[in-house]
Amino acid sequence: MHAFGLFCPRYTDNDGGAVVAAEATVEELARELSSYLDTNRINQVRRAYYYAEQAHEGQMRKSGDRYITHPLAVAGILADLRLDHQSLMAAMLHDVIEDTGIPKDALAEQFGEDVAELVDGVSKLTQIEFRSRAEAQAENFQKMTLAMAKDIRVILVKLADRLHNMRTLGPMPYEKRLRIATETLDIYAPIANRLGMHSICTELEDLGFSSLYPMRAKYISKAVEKLRGSHREIIEDIQGKLQEKLEERGLPGRILGREKHLNSIYNKMKFKQKSFHEIMDVYAFRIITDTEDNCYRILGAVHSLYKPLPGRFKDYIAMPKSNGYQSIHTTLFGMHVNIEIQIRTEEMEHIANNGIAAHWMYKNEASGVTTINQSRVDRWVKGLMEMRERADDSMEFIEHVKVDLFPDEIYVFTPKGRIMELPSGATPVDFAYAIHTDIGNASVACRINRNLASLSQPLQSGQTVEIITAPGARPNPAWLSFVVTGKARSSIRHVLKTRKRTESMELGRTLLKRSLKGFGAKLSDISDAQKQAVVNHNQVNSFDDLISDIGLGNRMAYLVARQLVSGNDVMDAPANLENAPDSKQGAVTIRGTEGLLVRFANCCKPIPGDPVVGVMDSGNGMVIHSDTCSRLPEGDEGRARLTHLKWAKDITDEFSVELRVELERQRGVIAEVANAVAMADGNIERISVEDQNARFGIVSLVVHVNGRKHLARVMRRVRNIRAVTHIGRVRH
């Protein structure tokens, strides 16, 4: 057994007063806990307190208080949230492992495995310092996600710990104060909001704001105080009229004035460009009643008293926010001012303030609302874990998560009527990934309210969205420019990276085989030892990475082939590119739509049938040019980068070609040109009149064709128009 026993400690110090004060405080906490915990559990919390007190004996806080006052205050915050006894015990013990060297096993032996796991989780989070270095911050956020996934109570204890630290930040050095305040606003306040813990979130925000901007906070605070004094009569008048109306209708409800928070006022002034008086001229009240039914009756009563403002009504009771928040919001116009009113039940009020923590209070009552609230949080944490698995590095992960920590929700429906919550600005692609990753990956089109719509169109609340999928469909890289959810972004990137790797391997292998053929060798003939020697020489992890690098254009296939066939003696010899094998030997076949790593040059717009060459573009694969293009690289080194290509025989894809048509100006001649292209089964992408005078004009056309024969047919049709004097293909 560890040196710190279970017994109530005997004090040997002379500071009797301090001991009595501490004991009195733990007894005060015990009295508060008696309102919802039984005696046995309260005694377990008391035991954890005495154990922590002995462990921290002699340690002081920066403020000069005994260290034990901090864990006790953290437990007090959790008691206000009515959390279970294990969370309170973990709060008492949360610094024991880190600060006193007591191992986790000793805590497990004394207080059980659950409490020891919680303490261990909180200790690991405490070691996290979200330094200014973004990389370290992101790494640590991943650790936090893992801890939350294991047991959400870990983050609740950590939030209470952070709240007490913020309340007592004063004695800290300036630099440390700044770092803790920034990290609170960036990470902890948004997490509290995401977990629905409104009261902790707003206090963290206000304390963080006051630490970062003390002068601004002081100024806004004074201005609020002054304004509140001058508005007291109006507030009392409105409150009196609302109370009268409820009594007249026989509706139970207590009316509270709502405070505007410093950080919220500052952000509205900064980001919404509103003046202080514009923000403060809105009078806010909350009406709390007994049943959901009475919420709607009270709504009718207040609407009969003052006129509601159109478009400012939100029913979060029927459609709760993603963090479980429920309430009715309405804005009224009365007494020449705007009046914001929130209407909710006592339980909704508790959940609005305490969020996920409310789950433990109502746990034994099997409350439907809190079960839904719990499942929302579970779903969010599960989503975080999925994103963590897909992200290549921690920076990418935190980028995805930060999007999801600041949601301003919209609500849309699946065709079967299920409600989906998405951040504001979400598109059908975000919706598809929210349903399932596989549906997102296979999306090809969508219907919004039964009409075909673009996948990039931002969704509006209340719409019904249906996703059309196709087997074998793959995410489009362009989707990354408009998706807004972390899940969609991380899933698309994951697929594209995998696809890019596969394609770079295929292209690299093809190019290497072709180069080896020039040396009279085959890839299958090269020994594993020689492959490994070349891998070591090029300082890559594996032969596959080497092949992938060739496909990406980061290495020349000829040089790698030369190293493979020539052995160690030429590894470091300078490359003689003049002796490179003839680029026309063993031409690589291309099929048209080659994926992410083979693309067609915009300058010469090659089409099937044109003689073409490939130019390796470092990191991006191959660009296909016409072999007469003026932009091809020159010199020996340039020629070594070229790959001779041939077209496959059965290409059916369409390619863009630019045509220049000179014609006599006549009425309807442009329509005639367009009709001629259509008659030859061509598709016009763009048409524009470039230059004209009284008699002649020049028309520029970009047409889709599937090869040289098709192009010849299109040009013949256009040339047969009487007004056309000349037609030619444009190559820049």
Side-chain angles (χ1 to χ4, degrees):
M1 188 178 281
H2 203 272
F4 294 104
L6 294 177
F7 312 104
C8 187
R10 288 174 300 180
Y11 299 102
T12 53
D13 59 31
N14 299 319
D15 189 8
V19 173
V20 173
E23 284 198 60
T25 313
V26 79
E27 289 314 318
E28 280 169 22
L29 177 68
R31 273 198 296 279
E32 189 181 341
L33 295 179
S34 64
S35 64
Y36 73 98
L37 287 181
D38 59 37
T39 312
N40 177 35
R41 285 177 174 164
I42 293 170
N43 284 338
Q44 288 184 50
V45 175
R46 231 194 227 108
R47 217 160 49 102
Y49 166 78
Y50 287 128
Y51 189 94
E53 186 182 42
Q54 217 172 356
H56 290 296
E57 190 61 53
Q59 291 179 357
M60 307 299 277
R61 299 197 84 209
K62 277 268 193 296
S63 59
D65 295 331
R66 292 172 63 211
Y67 196 87
I68 190 64
T69 57
H70 169 63
L72 190 60
V74 174
I77 292 168
L78 295 179
D80 289 341
L81 297 174
R82 300 170 85 80
L83 239 63
D84 64 320
H85 68 294
Q86 289 182 334
S87 304
L88 293 161
M89 290 162 79
M92 294 292 191
L93 302 161
H94 76 269
D95 283 330
V96 164
I97 292 179
E98 196 186 357
D99 290 357
T100 68
I102 292 174
K104 179 182 165 188
D105 298 349
L107 290 182
E109 198 179 312
Q110 293 281 13
F111 302 105
E113 199 59 49
D114 284 354
V115 173
E117 281 292 340
L118 277 175
V119 173
D120 188 47
V122 178
S123 296
K124 283 176 180 156
L125 292 192
T126 305
Q127 289 157 16
I128 290 176
E129 271 197 18
F130 290 93
R131 290 178 289 277
S132 55
R133 272 182 55 239
E135 194 81 38
Q137 177 175 331
E139 277 294 338
N140 290 324
F141 199 89
Q142 293 209 44
K143 291 177 196 163
M144 183 181 283
T145 309
L146 284 170
M148 284 160 66
K150 239 177 174 180
D151 189 337
I152 199 78
R153 290 178 299 175
V154 169
I155 200 69
L156 301 185
V157 177
K158 182 63 194 167
L159 285 171
D161 172 47
R162 175 50 57 111
L163 182 57
H164 185 249
N165 281 336
M166 287 301 293
R167 285 174 180 172
T168 55
L169 205 55
M172 287 284 179
Y174 174 74
E175 286 297 322
K176 198 166 185 185
R177 230 173 34 234
L178 223 58
R179 178 185 67 73
I180 292 173
T182 305
E183 152 188 321
T184 299
L185 289 175
D186 277 0
I187 303 291
Y188 290 106
I191 286 177
N193 177 49
R194 203 65 179 77
L195 299 177
M197 303 170 76
H198 181 256
S199 52
I200 284 188
C201 172
T202 50
E203 193 177 345
L204 284 173
E205 282 179 346
D206 281 357
L207 290 168
F209 173 62
S210 301
S211 293
L212 279 182
Y213 307 111
M215 294 307 291
R216 294 174 204 187
K218 204 170 168 187
Y219 167 76
I220 293 173
S221 183
K222 275 187 178 170
V224 168
E225 204 60 51
K226 190 178 170 191
L227 210 63
R228 199 184 286 133
S230 59
H231 286 184
R232 188 163 285 120
E233 280 180 26
I234 302 174
I235 292 167
E236 285 170 1
D237 197 6
I238 296 169
Q239 196 159 344
K241 284 192 164 65
L242 289 169
Q243 195 69 57
E244 257 175 57
K245 182 54 80 174
L246 295 190
E247 284 166 9
E248 181 191 308
R249 301 259 176 121
L251 294 167
R254 55 193 178 97
I255 302 169
L256 312 170
R258 272 196 308 123
E259 291 294 316
K260 289 255 189 304
H261 296 278
L262 301 185
N263 191 56
S264 153
I265 294 169
Y266 176 69
N267 283 337
K268 280 181 182 167
M269 288 168 74
K270 187 176 174 184
F271 298 114
K272 295 196 175 176
Q273 307 289 309
K274 288 191 172 185
S275 73
F276 178 74
H277 287 282
E278 265 182 287
I279 296 162
M280 296 307 291
D281 273 350
V282 177
Y283 296 85
F285 297 91
R286 182 175 300 144
I287 304 176
I288 297 161
T289 186
D290 53 354
T291 64
E292 201 176 289
D293 213 26
N294 278 337
C295 289
Y296 291 102
R297 288 201 172 95
I298 288 170
L299 177 71
V302 298
H303 279 186
S304 71
L305 183 64
Y306 300 117
K307 290 281 170 278
L309 287 180
R312 297 291 295 276
F313 169 74
K314 288 190 178 112
D315 186 351
Y316 293 121
I317 291 180
M319 289 172 142
K321 284 191 177 188
S322 60
N323 59 14
Y325 174 87
Q326 286 188 295
S327 191
I328 293 172
H329 290 195
T330 187
T331 303
L332 314 169
F333 184 75
M335 302 174 73
H336 311 294
V337 293
N338 284 351
I339 306 163
E340 281 178 5
I341 294 187
Q342 297 174 351
I343 308 164
R344 60 178 75 145
T345 65
E346 291 285 358
E347 186 182 340
M348 287 170 196
E349 167 76 349
H350 184 67
I351 288 165
N353 288 329
N354 302 331
I356 186 62
H359 171 68
W360 279 275
M361 179 184 178
Y362 291 104
K363 210 172 187 178
N364 303 325
E365 298 169 23
S367 159
V369 176
T370 43
T371 311
I372 293 164
N373 194 18
Q374 175 67 20
S375 68
R376 283 166 195 277
V377 171
D378 288 346
R379 200 160 63 234
W380 178 61
V381 174
K382 187 178 167 224
L384 284 186
M385 294 305 290
E386 276 182 33
M387 276 190 253
R388 190 182 158 274
E389 282 159 23
R390 284 200 200 93
D392 255 20
D393 56 44
S394 45
M395 283 302 296
E396 191 180 302
F397 171 67
I398 201 166
E399 178 200 324
H400 301 327
V401 172
K402 275 197 166 181
V403 172
D404 282 356
L405 278 179
F406 297 93
D408 189 0
E409 294 95 350
I410 56 161
Y411 299 88
V412 290
F413 297 91
T414 67
K416 291 185 177 175
R418 181 177 149 210
I419 297 171
M420 301 290 291
E421 308 126 9
L422 293 166
S424 181
T427 62
V429 175
D430 293 295
F431 173 85
Y433 278 104
I435 294 171
H436 199 279
T437 308
D438 293 346
I439 289 175
N441 288 339
S443 302
V444 289
C446 72
R447 288 192 185 93
I448 296 176
N449 295 340
R450 297 190 179 174
N451 298 318
L452 276 172
S454 160
L455 284 173
S456 62
Q457 180 179 323
L459 298 172
Q460 307 293 325
S461 272
Q463 290 176 330
T464 299
V465 186
E466 182 186 348
I467 298 296
I468 301 161
T469 59
R474 295 184 294 193
N476 186 331
W479 291 356
L480 287 171
S481 65
F482 58 74
V483 293
V484 301
T485 57
K487 183 175 182 185
R489 191 172 292 279
S490 66
S491 302
I492 295 163
R493 279 185 177 164
H494 179 68
V495 172
L496 291 179
K497 275 173 196 152
T498 312
R499 195 170 134 203
K500 192 170 185 178
R501 171 77 176 179
T502 309
E503 289 179 11
S504 65
M505 293 272 295
E506 281 176 20
L507 181 59
R509 198 174 291 277
T510 305
L511 295 175
L512 183 59
K513 281 180 177 175
R514 176 182 154 281
S515 288
L516 283 168
K517 196 174 179 185
F519 286 107
K522 286 183 177 175
L523 189 56
S524 53
D525 297 339
I526 310 292
S527 71
D528 288 344
Q530 183 56 20
K531 284 180 186 173
Q532 191 55 48
V534 174
V535 164
N536 295 342
H537 173 75
N538 287 288
Q539 296 178 334
V540 288
N541 293 328
S542 66
F543 193 63
D544 281 354
D545 285 355
L546 194 62
I547 288 176
S548 177
D549 268 0
I550 294 170
L552 288 168
N554 293 333
R555 292 175 195 277
M556 289 173 68
Y558 160 65
L559 295 181
V560 175
R562 182 167 165 270
Q563 289 168 359
L564 285 168
V565 294
S566 308
N568 298 333
D569 52 332
V570 297
M571 286 280 194
D572 296 306
N576 182 0
L577 295 172
E578 284 179 26
N579 299 330
D582 178 12
S583 67
K584 297 197 176 184
Q585 186 170 355
V588 176
T589 303
I590 52 166
R591 308 198 55 81
T593 50
E594 302 294 314
L596 296 173
L597 289 175
V598 178
R599 56 195 198 287
F600 295 89
N602 275 327
C603 47
C604 51
K605 289 190 165 58
I607 62 171
D610 288 345
V612 284
V613 289
V615 179
M616 297 312 290
D617 178 16
S618 182
N620 297 311
M622 183 188 282
V623 185
I624 298 172
H625 290 261
S626 161
D627 70 354
T628 56
C629 181
S630 60
R631 299 202 183 171
L632 289 177
E634 294 175 352
D636 290 340
E637 196 171 332
R639 277 201 301 278
R641 282 171 56 209
L642 300 182
T643 304
H644 185 62
L645 305 172
K646 64 179 182 184
W647 296 94
K649 290 194 172 96
D650 53 351
I651 293 174
T652 55
D653 300 298
E654 291 193 333
F655 296 79
S656 292
V657 176
E658 192 172 341
L659 300 174
R660 186 174 186 271
V661 184
E662 296 174 15
L663 40 73
E664 291 177 26
R665 289 190 65 189
Q666 293 176 9
R667 180 172 292 173
V669 72
I670 304 288
E672 217 176 321
V673 168
N675 188 45
V677 173
M679 293 300 287
D681 298 323
N683 186 21
I684 295 177
E685 182 188 311
R686 195 175 73 242
I687 186 165
S688 59
V689 179
E690 290 203 344
D691 191 20
Q692 59 182 0
N693 56 33
R695 281 195 60 205
F696 294 99
I698 295 171
V699 174
S700 174
L701 283 174
V702 176
V703 180
H704 288 175
V705 295
N706 56 27
R708 286 184 87 162
K709 286 182 181 172
H710 188 193
L711 175 63
R713 204 161 70 242
V714 170
M715 289 174 77
R716 196 162 52 246
R717 284 267 186 184
V718 175
R719 199 179 284 117
N720 286 341
I721 297 169
R722 187 171 293 169
V724 172
T725 56
H726 181 262
I727 179 170
R729 186 172 166 189
V730 179
R731 297 175 193 267
H732 294 286

